Short mmCIF file of all heavy atoms in Angstrom, two decimals:
data_model
loop_
_atom_site.label_atom_id
_atom_site.label_comp_id
_atom_site.label_asym_id
_atom_site.label_seq_id
_atom_site.Cartn_x
_atom_site.Cartn_y
_atom_site.Cartn_z
N MET A 1 -30.23 29.39 -27.29
CA MET A 1 -30.40 28.56 -26.07
C MET A 1 -30.93 29.45 -24.99
O MET A 1 -30.48 30.73 -24.94
CB MET A 1 -29.07 28.12 -25.64
CG MET A 1 -29.18 27.21 -24.42
SD MET A 1 -27.79 26.90 -23.39
CE MET A 1 -26.51 26.32 -24.49
N ILE A 2 -31.86 29.05 -24.26
CA ILE A 2 -32.40 29.82 -23.09
C ILE A 2 -31.61 29.49 -21.90
O ILE A 2 -31.34 28.31 -21.54
CB ILE A 2 -33.92 29.38 -23.02
CG1 ILE A 2 -34.65 29.83 -24.26
CG2 ILE A 2 -34.53 30.23 -21.82
CD1 ILE A 2 -36.13 29.28 -24.24
N LEU A 3 -31.20 30.57 -21.26
CA LEU A 3 -30.34 30.40 -20.10
C LEU A 3 -30.99 29.86 -18.87
O LEU A 3 -30.41 29.32 -17.95
CB LEU A 3 -29.63 31.68 -19.76
CG LEU A 3 -28.68 32.26 -20.90
CD1 LEU A 3 -28.11 33.64 -20.52
CD2 LEU A 3 -27.57 31.31 -21.16
N ASP A 4 -32.34 30.07 -18.84
CA ASP A 4 -33.04 29.64 -17.62
C ASP A 4 -33.31 28.11 -17.61
O ASP A 4 -33.55 27.47 -16.56
CB ASP A 4 -34.48 30.23 -17.62
CG ASP A 4 -34.32 31.71 -17.42
OD1 ASP A 4 -33.22 32.18 -16.83
OD2 ASP A 4 -35.34 32.48 -17.81
N GLU A 5 -33.21 27.43 -18.65
CA GLU A 5 -33.45 26.01 -18.78
C GLU A 5 -32.10 25.29 -18.62
O GLU A 5 -30.97 25.74 -19.00
CB GLU A 5 -33.90 25.56 -20.23
CG GLU A 5 -35.40 26.08 -20.42
CD GLU A 5 -35.87 25.64 -21.73
OE1 GLU A 5 -35.34 24.59 -22.17
OE2 GLU A 5 -36.78 26.22 -22.23
N GLU A 6 -32.20 24.13 -17.90
CA GLU A 6 -31.06 23.31 -17.64
C GLU A 6 -31.18 22.07 -18.43
O GLU A 6 -32.24 21.37 -18.34
CB GLU A 6 -30.92 22.97 -16.12
CG GLU A 6 -29.74 22.54 -15.61
CD GLU A 6 -29.58 22.41 -14.15
OE1 GLU A 6 -29.73 23.46 -13.46
OE2 GLU A 6 -29.39 21.40 -13.63
N PHE A 7 -30.15 21.66 -19.09
CA PHE A 7 -30.23 20.51 -19.91
C PHE A 7 -29.39 19.37 -19.31
O PHE A 7 -28.27 19.63 -18.87
CB PHE A 7 -29.73 20.70 -21.26
CG PHE A 7 -30.51 21.64 -22.12
CD1 PHE A 7 -30.21 23.01 -22.20
CD2 PHE A 7 -31.70 21.18 -22.73
CE1 PHE A 7 -30.91 23.89 -22.90
CE2 PHE A 7 -32.51 22.10 -23.39
CZ PHE A 7 -32.13 23.42 -23.52
N GLU A 8 -29.86 18.11 -19.34
CA GLU A 8 -29.13 16.99 -18.83
C GLU A 8 -28.31 16.35 -19.88
O GLU A 8 -28.88 16.05 -21.00
CB GLU A 8 -30.01 15.96 -18.22
CG GLU A 8 -29.19 14.74 -17.71
CD GLU A 8 -30.21 13.75 -17.05
OE1 GLU A 8 -31.19 14.17 -16.47
OE2 GLU A 8 -29.95 12.50 -17.11
N ILE A 9 -26.94 16.33 -19.88
CA ILE A 9 -26.12 15.76 -20.94
C ILE A 9 -25.99 14.29 -20.74
O ILE A 9 -25.55 13.85 -19.63
CB ILE A 9 -24.90 16.47 -20.95
CG1 ILE A 9 -25.02 17.98 -21.28
CG2 ILE A 9 -23.91 15.87 -21.99
CD1 ILE A 9 -23.70 18.82 -21.23
N GLN A 10 -26.32 13.48 -21.67
CA GLN A 10 -26.15 12.04 -21.53
C GLN A 10 -24.75 11.71 -22.18
O GLN A 10 -24.35 12.17 -23.23
CB GLN A 10 -27.22 11.26 -22.35
CG GLN A 10 -28.61 11.57 -21.81
CD GLN A 10 -29.61 10.84 -22.74
OE1 GLN A 10 -29.30 10.12 -23.65
NE2 GLN A 10 -30.93 10.98 -22.26
N ARG A 11 -23.97 10.93 -21.43
CA ARG A 11 -22.60 10.58 -21.69
C ARG A 11 -22.36 9.17 -21.65
O ARG A 11 -23.09 8.39 -20.91
CB ARG A 11 -21.65 11.34 -20.78
CG ARG A 11 -21.73 12.79 -20.73
CD ARG A 11 -20.77 13.39 -19.83
NE ARG A 11 -20.82 12.88 -18.55
CZ ARG A 11 -19.99 13.26 -17.50
NH1 ARG A 11 -19.03 14.17 -17.73
NH2 ARG A 11 -20.16 12.89 -16.32
N LYS A 12 -21.59 8.68 -22.58
CA LYS A 12 -21.13 7.29 -22.62
C LYS A 12 -19.75 7.25 -22.09
O LYS A 12 -18.88 7.93 -22.64
CB LYS A 12 -21.17 6.76 -23.96
CG LYS A 12 -22.57 6.38 -24.51
CD LYS A 12 -22.50 5.59 -25.74
CE LYS A 12 -23.75 5.16 -26.16
NZ LYS A 12 -23.70 4.36 -27.54
N LEU A 13 -19.47 6.49 -21.07
CA LEU A 13 -18.24 6.28 -20.52
C LEU A 13 -17.69 4.92 -20.75
O LEU A 13 -18.42 3.97 -20.47
CB LEU A 13 -18.35 6.63 -18.97
CG LEU A 13 -18.64 8.07 -18.60
CD1 LEU A 13 -18.70 8.14 -17.01
CD2 LEU A 13 -17.61 9.05 -19.08
N LYS A 14 -16.42 4.83 -21.07
CA LYS A 14 -15.73 3.62 -21.18
C LYS A 14 -14.57 3.61 -20.33
O LYS A 14 -13.65 4.38 -20.47
CB LYS A 14 -15.38 3.29 -22.66
CG LYS A 14 -14.79 1.93 -22.90
CD LYS A 14 -14.43 1.72 -24.28
CE LYS A 14 -13.73 0.30 -24.39
NZ LYS A 14 -13.34 0.03 -25.76
N ILE A 15 -14.53 2.76 -19.27
CA ILE A 15 -13.49 2.83 -18.28
C ILE A 15 -12.62 1.50 -18.49
O ILE A 15 -13.20 0.45 -18.35
CB ILE A 15 -14.07 2.75 -16.80
CG1 ILE A 15 -14.88 4.12 -16.67
CG2 ILE A 15 -12.96 2.79 -15.82
CD1 ILE A 15 -15.61 4.18 -15.42
N ASP A 16 -11.35 1.71 -18.81
CA ASP A 16 -10.44 0.63 -19.01
C ASP A 16 -9.34 0.74 -18.05
O ASP A 16 -8.67 1.81 -17.81
CB ASP A 16 -9.85 0.74 -20.47
CG ASP A 16 -10.89 0.44 -21.38
OD1 ASP A 16 -11.82 -0.35 -21.25
OD2 ASP A 16 -10.79 1.14 -22.58
N PRO A 17 -8.89 -0.50 -17.51
CA PRO A 17 -7.68 -0.39 -16.59
C PRO A 17 -6.42 -0.22 -17.30
O PRO A 17 -6.40 -0.68 -18.43
CB PRO A 17 -7.68 -1.78 -15.80
CG PRO A 17 -8.48 -2.58 -16.68
CD PRO A 17 -9.56 -1.76 -17.51
N ILE A 18 -5.51 0.49 -16.82
CA ILE A 18 -4.23 0.72 -17.48
C ILE A 18 -3.27 -0.50 -17.15
O ILE A 18 -3.16 -0.84 -15.89
CB ILE A 18 -3.54 1.98 -16.96
CG1 ILE A 18 -4.37 3.27 -17.31
CG2 ILE A 18 -2.08 2.14 -17.55
CD1 ILE A 18 -3.89 4.53 -16.73
N GLU A 19 -2.79 -1.14 -18.21
CA GLU A 19 -1.92 -2.32 -17.95
C GLU A 19 -0.67 -1.85 -17.30
O GLU A 19 -0.05 -0.94 -17.57
CB GLU A 19 -1.61 -2.94 -19.36
CG GLU A 19 -2.95 -3.59 -19.88
CD GLU A 19 -2.66 -4.36 -21.20
OE1 GLU A 19 -1.42 -4.83 -21.35
OE2 GLU A 19 -3.56 -4.39 -22.05
N GLY A 20 -0.33 -2.67 -16.39
CA GLY A 20 1.07 -2.45 -15.73
C GLY A 20 0.91 -1.49 -14.47
O GLY A 20 2.01 -1.02 -13.90
N SER A 21 -0.24 -1.10 -14.20
CA SER A 21 -0.35 -0.13 -13.05
C SER A 21 -1.45 -0.63 -12.14
O SER A 21 -2.22 -1.56 -12.40
CB SER A 21 -0.79 1.34 -13.49
OG SER A 21 -2.01 1.19 -14.08
N TYR A 22 -1.38 -0.16 -10.83
CA TYR A 22 -2.33 -0.59 -9.85
C TYR A 22 -3.37 0.47 -9.52
O TYR A 22 -3.05 1.61 -9.22
CB TYR A 22 -1.53 -0.95 -8.53
CG TYR A 22 -2.44 -1.45 -7.43
CD1 TYR A 22 -2.89 -2.77 -7.48
CD2 TYR A 22 -2.72 -0.72 -6.28
CE1 TYR A 22 -3.79 -3.28 -6.45
CE2 TYR A 22 -3.60 -1.20 -5.37
CZ TYR A 22 -4.04 -2.42 -5.43
OH TYR A 22 -4.78 -2.95 -4.42
N ASN A 23 -4.68 0.16 -9.75
CA ASN A 23 -5.76 0.99 -9.45
C ASN A 23 -5.66 2.34 -10.30
O ASN A 23 -6.02 3.37 -9.91
CB ASN A 23 -5.86 1.41 -7.92
CG ASN A 23 -6.48 0.31 -7.17
OD1 ASN A 23 -7.13 -0.60 -7.67
ND2 ASN A 23 -6.37 0.41 -5.87
N SER A 24 -5.31 2.23 -11.56
CA SER A 24 -5.32 3.29 -12.58
C SER A 24 -6.10 2.94 -13.71
O SER A 24 -6.05 1.90 -14.22
CB SER A 24 -3.89 3.66 -12.91
OG SER A 24 -3.07 3.99 -11.87
N TYR A 25 -6.94 3.88 -14.10
CA TYR A 25 -7.91 3.56 -15.16
C TYR A 25 -7.90 4.70 -16.19
O TYR A 25 -7.59 5.89 -15.82
CB TYR A 25 -9.31 3.48 -14.64
CG TYR A 25 -9.42 2.41 -13.61
CD1 TYR A 25 -9.31 2.55 -12.27
CD2 TYR A 25 -9.68 1.01 -14.17
CE1 TYR A 25 -9.38 1.47 -11.41
CE2 TYR A 25 -9.85 -0.02 -13.27
CZ TYR A 25 -9.68 0.15 -11.90
OH TYR A 25 -9.83 -0.80 -10.97
N VAL A 26 -8.23 4.39 -17.43
CA VAL A 26 -8.42 5.43 -18.55
C VAL A 26 -9.87 5.53 -18.68
O VAL A 26 -10.63 4.54 -18.90
CB VAL A 26 -7.83 4.91 -19.88
CG1 VAL A 26 -8.11 5.92 -20.99
CG2 VAL A 26 -6.20 4.82 -19.62
N VAL A 27 -10.41 6.88 -18.78
CA VAL A 27 -11.78 7.10 -19.00
C VAL A 27 -11.91 7.73 -20.31
O VAL A 27 -11.48 8.75 -20.61
CB VAL A 27 -12.38 8.04 -17.86
CG1 VAL A 27 -13.81 8.34 -18.12
CG2 VAL A 27 -12.18 7.40 -16.50
N ASN A 28 -12.64 6.95 -21.13
CA ASN A 28 -12.96 7.52 -22.57
C ASN A 28 -14.42 7.94 -22.48
O ASN A 28 -15.26 7.19 -22.19
CB ASN A 28 -12.81 6.38 -23.56
CG ASN A 28 -11.27 5.98 -23.86
OD1 ASN A 28 -10.42 6.82 -23.60
ND2 ASN A 28 -11.01 4.71 -23.98
N GLU A 29 -14.59 9.19 -22.88
CA GLU A 29 -15.96 9.77 -22.89
C GLU A 29 -16.43 10.10 -24.19
O GLU A 29 -15.64 10.81 -24.96
CB GLU A 29 -15.94 10.99 -21.89
CG GLU A 29 -17.23 11.68 -21.85
CD GLU A 29 -17.13 12.88 -20.89
OE1 GLU A 29 -16.00 13.19 -20.35
OE2 GLU A 29 -18.16 13.46 -20.59
N LYS A 30 -17.64 9.73 -24.63
CA LYS A 30 -18.18 10.14 -25.90
C LYS A 30 -19.52 10.91 -25.39
O LYS A 30 -20.41 10.40 -24.82
CB LYS A 30 -18.52 9.00 -26.72
CG LYS A 30 -17.32 8.37 -27.30
CD LYS A 30 -17.72 7.30 -28.33
CE LYS A 30 -16.44 6.67 -28.88
NZ LYS A 30 -16.75 5.68 -29.90
N GLU A 31 -19.59 12.21 -25.88
CA GLU A 31 -20.74 12.97 -25.60
C GLU A 31 -21.74 12.93 -26.61
O GLU A 31 -21.33 13.03 -27.78
CB GLU A 31 -20.27 14.42 -25.41
CG GLU A 31 -21.31 15.35 -24.74
CD GLU A 31 -20.81 16.71 -24.42
OE1 GLU A 31 -19.79 16.88 -23.87
OE2 GLU A 31 -21.60 17.71 -24.71
N LYS A 32 -23.03 12.79 -26.28
CA LYS A 32 -24.10 12.77 -27.28
C LYS A 32 -24.26 14.18 -27.85
O LYS A 32 -24.37 15.14 -27.09
CB LYS A 32 -25.46 12.33 -26.53
CG LYS A 32 -26.51 11.96 -27.51
CD LYS A 32 -27.72 11.37 -26.85
CE LYS A 32 -28.78 11.06 -27.81
NZ LYS A 32 -29.93 10.44 -27.10
N ARG A 33 -24.34 14.34 -29.13
CA ARG A 33 -24.33 15.61 -29.82
C ARG A 33 -25.76 16.15 -29.68
O ARG A 33 -26.74 15.47 -29.82
CB ARG A 33 -24.08 15.34 -31.32
CG ARG A 33 -23.92 16.76 -31.97
CD ARG A 33 -23.33 16.50 -33.31
NE ARG A 33 -23.31 17.81 -33.94
CZ ARG A 33 -22.40 18.33 -34.65
NH1 ARG A 33 -21.34 17.66 -34.80
NH2 ARG A 33 -22.38 19.51 -35.18
N ASP A 34 -25.77 17.46 -29.51
CA ASP A 34 -27.09 18.27 -29.48
C ASP A 34 -27.33 18.82 -30.86
O ASP A 34 -26.56 19.57 -31.34
CB ASP A 34 -26.95 19.40 -28.48
CG ASP A 34 -28.15 20.21 -28.35
OD1 ASP A 34 -29.27 19.67 -28.66
OD2 ASP A 34 -28.14 21.37 -27.89
N TRP A 35 -28.42 18.37 -31.57
CA TRP A 35 -28.74 18.73 -32.82
C TRP A 35 -29.64 19.93 -32.98
O TRP A 35 -30.01 20.34 -34.10
CB TRP A 35 -29.39 17.55 -33.59
CG TRP A 35 -28.36 16.46 -33.89
CD1 TRP A 35 -28.10 15.37 -33.10
CD2 TRP A 35 -27.42 16.39 -34.97
NE1 TRP A 35 -27.07 14.59 -33.60
CE2 TRP A 35 -26.65 15.21 -34.78
CE3 TRP A 35 -27.22 17.23 -36.08
CZ2 TRP A 35 -25.63 14.87 -35.65
CZ3 TRP A 35 -26.11 16.83 -36.91
CH2 TRP A 35 -25.38 15.69 -36.74
N SER A 36 -30.16 20.51 -31.88
CA SER A 36 -31.19 21.45 -31.94
C SER A 36 -30.65 22.80 -32.62
O SER A 36 -31.41 23.38 -33.39
CB SER A 36 -31.71 21.85 -30.55
OG SER A 36 -30.70 22.38 -29.73
N GLY A 37 -29.48 23.14 -32.47
CA GLY A 37 -28.92 24.31 -33.12
C GLY A 37 -28.81 24.05 -34.58
O GLY A 37 -29.06 25.03 -35.38
N ASN A 38 -28.38 22.86 -35.03
CA ASN A 38 -28.25 22.69 -36.54
C ASN A 38 -29.63 22.63 -37.06
O ASN A 38 -29.67 23.08 -38.28
CB ASN A 38 -27.51 21.28 -36.69
CG ASN A 38 -26.10 21.37 -36.35
OD1 ASN A 38 -25.57 22.45 -36.22
ND2 ASN A 38 -25.49 20.24 -36.23
N ILE A 39 -30.60 22.13 -36.40
CA ILE A 39 -31.97 22.07 -37.09
C ILE A 39 -32.50 23.49 -37.16
O ILE A 39 -33.12 23.90 -38.21
CB ILE A 39 -32.95 21.22 -36.13
CG1 ILE A 39 -32.50 19.77 -36.26
CG2 ILE A 39 -34.35 21.34 -36.61
CD1 ILE A 39 -33.14 18.84 -35.20
N TYR A 40 -32.32 24.33 -36.24
CA TYR A 40 -32.77 25.71 -36.25
C TYR A 40 -32.06 26.41 -37.44
O TYR A 40 -32.68 27.15 -38.14
CB TYR A 40 -32.44 26.36 -34.89
CG TYR A 40 -32.81 27.88 -34.91
CD1 TYR A 40 -34.05 28.34 -34.89
CD2 TYR A 40 -31.70 28.86 -35.01
CE1 TYR A 40 -34.35 29.67 -34.78
CE2 TYR A 40 -31.92 30.21 -35.00
CZ TYR A 40 -33.24 30.58 -34.85
OH TYR A 40 -33.51 31.99 -34.83
N LEU A 41 -30.74 26.30 -37.53
CA LEU A 41 -29.96 26.86 -38.56
C LEU A 41 -30.48 26.39 -39.94
O LEU A 41 -30.56 27.20 -40.95
CB LEU A 41 -28.47 26.58 -38.48
CG LEU A 41 -27.60 27.25 -39.47
CD1 LEU A 41 -27.62 28.77 -39.34
CD2 LEU A 41 -26.22 26.78 -39.23
N THR A 42 -30.77 25.10 -40.12
CA THR A 42 -31.30 24.66 -41.41
C THR A 42 -32.71 25.22 -41.75
O THR A 42 -32.93 25.59 -42.90
CB THR A 42 -31.38 23.10 -41.32
OG1 THR A 42 -30.11 22.52 -41.02
CG2 THR A 42 -31.86 22.51 -42.63
N CYS A 43 -33.55 25.38 -40.83
CA CYS A 43 -34.90 25.92 -41.01
C CYS A 43 -34.77 27.48 -41.46
O CYS A 43 -35.38 27.86 -42.37
CB CYS A 43 -35.70 25.81 -39.81
SG CYS A 43 -36.26 24.15 -39.38
N VAL A 44 -33.88 28.27 -40.81
CA VAL A 44 -33.63 29.55 -41.15
C VAL A 44 -33.06 29.68 -42.63
O VAL A 44 -33.59 30.54 -43.38
CB VAL A 44 -32.72 30.31 -40.17
CG1 VAL A 44 -32.28 31.64 -40.64
CG2 VAL A 44 -33.35 30.47 -38.86
N ALA A 45 -32.06 28.80 -42.92
CA ALA A 45 -31.51 28.78 -44.23
C ALA A 45 -32.54 28.46 -45.36
O ALA A 45 -32.58 29.03 -46.37
CB ALA A 45 -30.32 27.86 -44.36
N ALA A 46 -33.45 27.52 -44.92
CA ALA A 46 -34.57 27.11 -46.00
C ALA A 46 -35.48 28.27 -46.23
O ALA A 46 -35.82 28.57 -47.29
CB ALA A 46 -35.18 25.88 -45.39
N ILE A 47 -35.89 28.96 -45.08
CA ILE A 47 -36.81 30.08 -45.30
C ILE A 47 -36.17 31.20 -46.07
O ILE A 47 -36.85 31.77 -46.95
CB ILE A 47 -37.13 30.59 -43.89
CG1 ILE A 47 -38.09 29.57 -43.21
CG2 ILE A 47 -37.90 31.93 -44.00
CD1 ILE A 47 -38.40 29.87 -41.70
N LEU A 48 -34.86 31.48 -45.85
CA LEU A 48 -34.16 32.51 -46.67
C LEU A 48 -33.98 32.11 -48.08
O LEU A 48 -34.14 32.95 -49.02
CB LEU A 48 -32.74 32.81 -46.06
CG LEU A 48 -32.76 33.51 -44.77
CD1 LEU A 48 -31.37 33.64 -44.20
CD2 LEU A 48 -33.40 34.97 -44.89
N ALA A 49 -33.83 30.76 -48.39
CA ALA A 49 -33.67 30.42 -49.72
C ALA A 49 -35.02 30.40 -50.45
O ALA A 49 -35.12 30.88 -51.61
CB ALA A 49 -33.22 28.93 -49.75
N ILE A 50 -36.10 30.08 -49.75
CA ILE A 50 -37.46 30.20 -50.43
C ILE A 50 -37.80 31.70 -50.71
O ILE A 50 -38.28 32.02 -51.76
CB ILE A 50 -38.45 29.53 -49.47
CG1 ILE A 50 -38.30 28.00 -49.43
CG2 ILE A 50 -39.93 29.92 -49.91
CD1 ILE A 50 -39.13 27.24 -48.38
N ALA A 51 -37.46 32.53 -49.72
CA ALA A 51 -37.69 33.93 -49.95
C ALA A 51 -36.86 34.56 -51.08
O ALA A 51 -37.35 35.39 -51.82
CB ALA A 51 -37.48 34.71 -48.63
N PHE A 52 -35.73 34.05 -51.22
CA PHE A 52 -34.83 34.59 -52.30
C PHE A 52 -35.19 34.15 -53.69
O PHE A 52 -35.20 34.91 -54.55
CB PHE A 52 -33.39 34.08 -52.00
CG PHE A 52 -32.41 34.58 -53.03
CD1 PHE A 52 -31.97 35.87 -53.02
CD2 PHE A 52 -31.80 33.74 -53.91
CE1 PHE A 52 -31.06 36.35 -53.90
CE2 PHE A 52 -30.90 34.16 -54.82
CZ PHE A 52 -30.52 35.45 -54.91
N PHE A 53 -35.67 32.85 -53.74
CA PHE A 53 -36.02 32.31 -55.12
C PHE A 53 -37.46 32.58 -55.52
O PHE A 53 -37.84 32.27 -56.59
CB PHE A 53 -35.77 30.89 -55.13
CG PHE A 53 -34.20 30.54 -55.16
CD1 PHE A 53 -33.65 30.02 -54.11
CD2 PHE A 53 -33.45 31.07 -56.24
CE1 PHE A 53 -32.29 29.62 -54.06
CE2 PHE A 53 -32.08 30.73 -56.23
CZ PHE A 53 -31.52 30.11 -55.11
N THR A 54 -38.35 33.20 -54.70
CA THR A 54 -39.62 33.47 -55.07
C THR A 54 -39.86 34.96 -55.39
O THR A 54 -39.15 35.78 -55.04
CB THR A 54 -40.68 33.07 -54.03
OG1 THR A 54 -40.41 33.77 -52.73
CG2 THR A 54 -40.61 31.56 -53.81
#
């Protein structure tokens, strides 16, 4: 990861009122996964496997 770049994280929020209370809500958050690290790791592993078996 480059420290100079700023990434915008997309989030899904689900806001539900709490039953039996006044103006109280539960916030359920699901963060979108960043796959760039896994793709990089897969490419490095593939290159090492090709180099090992040839």
Side-chain angles (χ1 to χ4, degrees):
M1 181 195 315
I2 298 173
L3 296 177
D4 295 337
E5 293 183 20
E6 195 172 301
F7 295 100
E8 182 177 326
I9 298 175
Q10 296 179 357
R11 301 184 302 179
K12 284 187 172 183
L13 295 176
K14 183 178 179 186
I15 301 172
D16 295 324
I18 298 174
E19 293 182 26
S21 65
Y22 182 72
N23 284 343
S24 296
Y25 298 92
V26 174
V27 178
N28 295 323
E29 179 179 5
K30 291 186 177 181
E31 190 173 315
K32 191 174 184 181
R33 186 171 178 137
D34 181 21
W35 289 95
S36 61
N38 290 344
I39 293 171
Y40 175 74
L41 183 62
T42 303
C43 290
V44 169
I47 291 170
L48 290 175
I50 291 170
F52 180 75
F53 290 115
T54 57

